[in-house]
Amino acid sequence: MLFLSQKFKALRFLAFVAVATLSRVALVAGADSDINIYTDDSLAQGWQNWSWNTDLNFAATDIISGTTGTSISVRSDAWSAFSLKLETNFAGYAGLRFDIAGAQPEIQFYFESTTEGLSSPSISLSSISKTVTADKFSSLLIDFNSLPGTGAQLGPGNWDRINIQAQGNGATYHVDNVVIVKEVVITPEFLSAEPLTNSIVAVTTKGNVNLSDVKVSLNGRAVGIVSNTSYVPVDTPARSITYFNLATPFAAGNLAIRAGNTTFSYTLPKTSGVSVNQFISTPINPLVYGVNFPTTPSYIQHLGVTNSRWGGNAVTAYNPFGHFTNAGADWYFENRGSDSADDWIGWVKGSGSAALLTVPALDWVAKDTSSYSYPKTIYPDQQRFDPYKPDAGNGMRSDGTPVSPPTDPRIAYTAWNTTLAKQWLAGLKNKPDILAIDNEIEIAHATHQDMHPEPMSYDEELSRVVTFAKAAKEVYPNIAVAAPSTCAWWFYWTSVVGWNDTAAHGNVDFLPWFLGEMKKAEKTAGRRLLDYLDIHYYFQADTSSNTDEAKALRLRATRSLWDPTYVDESWVGVEPQQNHQPNPTKINLIPRFKTLINNLYPGTKLSISEWSSTNDEDITGGLVTADMLGIFGKYGLDSAQYWATPNELGPVGLAFWLYRGYGTYFGSRSAQVSLTNPNPNIFSVYAGTQNGKATLVILNKDPKAVQAFALNGVPAGSYFVRHFGGSAGVAKWQVSSLATSKS
């Protein structure tokens, strides 16, 4: 990805493949010896088994490491974990070494400090190794100073718990020789060497390599190296990068970069043209760079988060007078404590972000932190019960239907209405910027069946939005109101009641009908009650796996946001009768809804308060995110928040950092970009301008090919390079005055 900005003199590049690095240098101060966790038959002294929904055999003999002894066999249900707790802690140690056997199980590792409530980023097994097999053990290492996948550091903390969590399909595997090590020895290595800009080679390394071992040739002829500049990322210091400035620029042909004993080879194509017209531009609303529930003020500032949302299923039941909420169908309809929304607004806005607050709009909110809606004592025949609270059920019978009769909401809830909502809003010390009227209430019969078991109709949803929007505007006459926060494509056009509901409303699809009715409500109320048409958008195609096919589909699916020629590669593309809209197999999301708004309720803004890359930890998640952020600016979206809180040093977090991190901004207007050979499946370019200065973000979505392009219409000068990705992983890099433009 390339990014040019005269203000910051910036040129940014994003490559395309992630790999993990395992080894590091270090003899850890204060660590006297390794800490054994398991060798044979049982856990070592001081370790406790805190696993959940997991079958364990600590003396398995079917697969062992070596010729004698035992191993641990593990079988975890979906999202369950093999979890081990140390009575003291392993703060200050260098890493976790273990042997593992299994058919590349879908598991992730993370560490906790139970006393401090800290949790590390999740580390997928595939980011450590992609070659784990069922018939023999692989010896692997998680380096605490360079966590696989991101290169981040585990950091300070009283780390005392290790979790190995299965993903959605569950996991079966064996582990052996599990040890917390005091020392990790680095092996100097050239991790990657790649062409970056017209005469720059970027070489990523670990350890103390000899940079004089780097040699470059183009079409069989040696190319001189004029100078080099090294950079060590503050957040990911285990991998450094050196930029080599070549004596001659690249040209079409064969590029070979010999680094130590490894040669990195590339076929450089002929250049394609990329032209920027700064005079044809669209304002970029800074509110599109938002997330749900940022973690800290530094998180907001590091990533440049502009818009923070207090939202999601749980907020439907948020009781602001006691700070209680209910997890709904996400976790056994259990009440729990919550942070104060008022305090949250205060620190979020104090950190430089706008705040979107969700106002509950059903009839009930949680009454305490301990109640739950489906006790086993009342409903003994339930599909599942909470393994940590065995009396709390999921409200479904063993045959998959809701329990009967419906539960009494008063078991877990207390009444809620507009009088209480106004009392809460009027008493806020910190005023939000946007108020959303609840969250995905069109599916409340499923997410919150304990308080709203009946399907939500067109009329009921409209009534709730109008009623609570009026209440919000009575307290804050100038507040922006967002609604209806609809969950997905299907429900944009109809209700849970079904097409009979649509037919009963003149065969007008739901959101077009809703816009028209909100326009009427404005006339009746004497004030606008809807400022943002708010929707949620997730790809309709199944991109949940991480196969090459799913990754490629994930990257293509961004076209559904803007491309009127793109037939969605999902059920949408093959079911043309799903709605009454023009071209129903082509989502064309942002232009479609801006047209609907202009036709039905002009002046309403468009918001996407939930969206996702599908896979936060894979490099394609970063590419999808960078692509979508560029699309949001180019096509004039008004507000957006990522679901939910991407890892700051993971691919998605780095995409935000690329556009906004540490005060380096993409621009306030999106300039027109023309490509000689446009192919949105593999190549995207976004241009931003501000105060007469230009910025480019260029994405290469094809990990097997180098993209070569000539830039036209950008200011002359030296440029700052910021990029992440590449075949060495996803660490973030930046360096000054590397790329140059003469015209």
Side-chain angles (χ1 to χ4, degrees):
M1 179 180 289
L2 296 180
F3 177 111
L4 284 88
S5 168
Q6 276 290 311
K7 180 177 181 181
F8 299 98
K9 290 187 164 55
L11 177 64
R12 298 186 180 178
F13 172 77
L14 174 62
F16 28 73
V17 179
V19 287
T21 176
L22 298 181
S23 52
R24 254 277 336 147
V25 98
L27 179 64
V28 179
D32 295 329
S33 60
D34 294 347
I35 302 175
N36 286 329
I37 300 174
Y38 174 88
T39 50
D40 284 323
D41 298 334
S42 63
L43 295 176
Q45 185 176 359
W47 287 92
Q48 301 170 351
N49 175 18
W50 280 26
S51 304
W52 69 91
N53 288 1
T54 296
D55 295 329
L56 299 168
N57 179 358
F58 287 95
T61 57
D62 52 330
I63 303 176
I64 59 174
S65 180
T67 58
T68 60
T70 62
S71 65
I72 307 173
S73 70
V74 184
R75 188 186 65 78
S76 293
D77 294 342
W79 310 114
S80 301
F82 174 34
S83 180
L84 301 174
K85 167 72 169 60
L86 182 61
E87 291 177 356
T88 55
N89 65 72
F90 48 88
Y93 278 77
L96 173 68
R97 188 180 68 233
F98 58 97
D99 296 341
I100 185 168
Q104 192 64 37
E106 294 182 5
I107 54 177
Q108 63 182 14
F109 299 75
Y110 65 97
F111 305 95
E112 290 183 82
S113 169
T114 58
T115 59
E116 299 167 293
L118 298 176
S119 184
S120 76
S122 295
I123 304 157
S124 66
L125 177 65
S126 62
S127 71
I128 309 171
S129 174
K130 296 181 174 64
T131 58
V132 175
T133 60
D135 57 348
K136 64 178 182 179
F137 277 94
S138 300
S139 185
L140 304 179
L141 178 73
I142 295 176
D143 177 1
F144 293 161
N145 200 46
S146 179
L147 298 179
T150 64
Q153 296 170 297
L154 183 59
N158 294 316
W159 306 106
D160 59 357
R161 187 176 183 183
I162 302 167
N163 300 293
I164 308 176
Q165 185 177 33
Q167 301 302 283
N169 294 321
T172 300
Y173 54 95
H174 287 67
V175 292
D176 201 355
N177 300 326
V178 189
V179 180
I180 299 286
V181 296
K182 68 172 184 177
E183 181 180 23
V184 174
V185 178
I186 238 182
T187 300
E189 184 179 354
F190 289 96
L191 299 174
S192 69
E194 300 161 312
L196 186 61
T197 65
N198 57 333
S199 59
I200 302 296
V201 167
V203 178
T204 308
T205 60
K206 65 177 183 179
N208 189 24
V209 301
N210 185 353
L211 294 176
S212 66
D213 286 344
V214 175
K215 309 294 181 184
V216 180
S217 64
L218 181 62
N219 293 324
R221 294 184 178 182
V223 178
I225 296 174
V226 176
S227 61
N228 65 69
T229 303
S230 294
Y231 176 74
V232 179
V234 174
D235 299 321
T236 53
R239 283 173 284 182
S240 61
I241 192 164
T242 301
Y243 301 94
F244 290 84
N245 191 3
L246 305 183
T248 58
F250 298 126
N254 298 314
L255 175 69
I257 308 166
R258 183 168 61 83
N261 296 321
T262 305
T263 298
F264 301 89
S265 299
Y266 301 93
T267 300
L268 304 184
K270 294 181 179 179
T271 58
S272 298
V274 176
S275 297
V276 179
N277 188 337
Q278 298 182 56
F279 301 101
I280 302 177
S281 62
T282 301
I284 296 174
N285 194 317
L287 295 181
V288 299
Y289 305 104
V291 302
N292 283 261
F293 294 109
T295 53
T296 61
S298 63
Y299 180 97
I300 289 174
Q301 291 152 8
H302 291 176
L303 298 191
V305 173
T306 58
N307 195 359
S308 301
R309 176 177 179 250
W310 173 281
N313 289 341
V315 301
T316 290
Y318 174 64
N319 183 338
F321 301 113
H323 310 306
F324 317 133
T325 190
N326 182 283
D330 291 334
W331 194 258
Y332 300 97
F333 299 91
E334 294 176 13
N335 285 353
R336 57 180 65 168
S338 169
D339 293 338
S340 160
D342 196 357
D343 292 347
W344 179 86
I345 296 167
W347 74 256
V348 161
K349 295 189 69 170
S351 304
S353 171
L356 182 154
L357 177 67
T358 301
V359 178
L362 297 182
D363 298 330
W364 306 91
V365 291
K367 69 179 183 180
D368 56 29
T369 62
S370 58
S371 299
Y372 42 91
S373 293
Y374 296 102
K376 189 175 185 179
T377 50
I378 299 176
Y379 299 102
D381 178 24
Q382 294 187 65
Q383 195 177 55
R384 289 190 304 275
F385 294 91
D386 182 353
Y388 301 106
K389 191 178 290 185
D391 191 48
N394 72 343
M396 306 299 286
R397 294 188 296 197
S398 54
D399 63 2
T401 60
V403 298
S404 182
T407 188
D408 184 346
R410 291 171 294 183
I411 292 176
Y413 297 108
T414 186
W416 179 255
N417 53 45
T418 54
T419 299
L420 293 171
K422 288 190 288 186
Q423 179 184 338
W424 168 43
L425 295 175
L428 289 174
K429 300 187 299 292
N430 302 290
K431 180 182 175 182
D433 299 282
I434 302 172
L435 283 177
I437 307 302
D438 220 300
N439 171 79
E440 298 183 356
I441 57 174
E442 75 279 355
I443 55 171
H445 76 290
T447 54
H448 300 284
Q449 68 176 43
D450 54 341
M451 67 163 90
H452 194 284
E454 297 301 318
M456 181 79 65
S457 68
Y458 273 42
D459 294 323
E460 182 186 356
E461 184 164 3
L462 175 69
S463 174
R464 291 185 180 277
V465 170
V466 169
T467 299
F468 279 87
K470 285 181 178 178
K473 295 279 188 173
E474 287 176 20
V475 178
Y476 297 127
N478 298 318
I479 196 91
V481 168
S485 304
T486 308
C487 69
W489 177 261
W490 178 271
F491 293 107
Y492 300 166
W493 313 120
T494 191
S495 70
V496 170
V497 174
W499 294 114
N500 288 339
D501 202 10
T502 307
H505 293 83
N507 279 329
V508 178
D509 298 321
F510 175 67
L511 285 181
W513 176 84
F514 176 81
L515 282 169
E517 293 300 310
M518 292 306 295
K519 184 177 181 180
K520 294 177 184 177
E522 177 184 348
K523 292 181 179 180
T524 301
R527 59 161 60 118
R528 176 180 274 271
L529 300 177
L530 181 73
D531 300 277
Y532 287 89
L533 176 67
D534 183 46
I535 59 176
H536 297 167
Y537 184 65
Y538 298 96
F539 298 146
Q540 296 302 292
D542 182 6
T543 62
S544 58
S545 70
N546 221 29
T547 62
D548 289 344
E549 293 76 14
K551 291 179 182 181
L553 177 55
R554 196 178 295 152
L555 291 166
R556 292 195 302 272
T558 60
R559 293 174 60 187
S560 64
L561 286 163
W562 64 270
D563 189 346
T565 70
Y566 179 68
V567 177
D568 203 68
E569 298 172 71
S570 71
W571 62 270
V572 173
V574 296
E575 294 188 22
Q577 301 307 313
Q578 67 217 355
N579 59 54
H580 302 87
Q581 297 301 300
N583 301 316
T585 63
K586 301 176 180 69
I587 290 179
N588 191 24
L589 190 80
I590 298 174
R592 177 186 293 277
F593 276 103
K594 290 180 81 69
T595 298
L596 279 175
I597 287 169
N598 288 337
N599 290 340
L600 298 171
Y601 196 8
T604 306
K605 297 178 180 180
L606 178 62
S607 166
I608 303 177
S609 63
E610 286 187 23
W611 63 279
S612 171
S613 73
T614 304
N615 191 319
D616 285 12
E617 300 305 319
D618 188 79
I619 189 63
T620 56
L623 285 164
V624 166
T625 302
D627 205 13
M628 292 180 75
L629 291 175
I631 291 166
F632 292 165
K634 180 177 180 178
Y635 289 92
L637 187 67
D638 296 298
S639 175
Q641 290 98 356
Y642 190 89
W643 182 266
T645 313
N647 175 6
E648 183 177 334
L649 293 178
V652 173
L654 291 179
F656 277 86
W657 162 82
L658 194 73
Y659 280 88
R660 299 279 305 181
Y662 295 102
T664 299
Y665 300 153
F666 175 65
S668 60
R669 300 186 71 86
S670 178
Q672 184 185 63
V673 176
S674 301
L675 306 181
T676 301
N677 298 305
N679 185 345
N681 292 334
I682 64 170
F683 195 50
S684 294
V685 182
Y686 301 101
T689 64
Q690 189 164 352
N691 299 326
K693 301 173 177 69
T695 301
L696 287 182
V697 169
I698 299 175
L699 294 85
N700 182 357
K701 305 179 187 179
D702 185 356
K704 298 178 181 178
V706 174
Q707 300 292 329
F709 44 87
L711 300 176
N712 299 305
V714 297
S718 297
Y719 292 85
F720 164 82
V721 176
R722 173 182 278 184
H723 60 107
F724 71 90
S727 56
V730 295
K732 60 185 181 185
W733 292 295
Q734 58 187 27
V735 71
S736 298
S737 300
L738 274 182
T740 58
S741 172
K742 295 181 180 180
S743 62

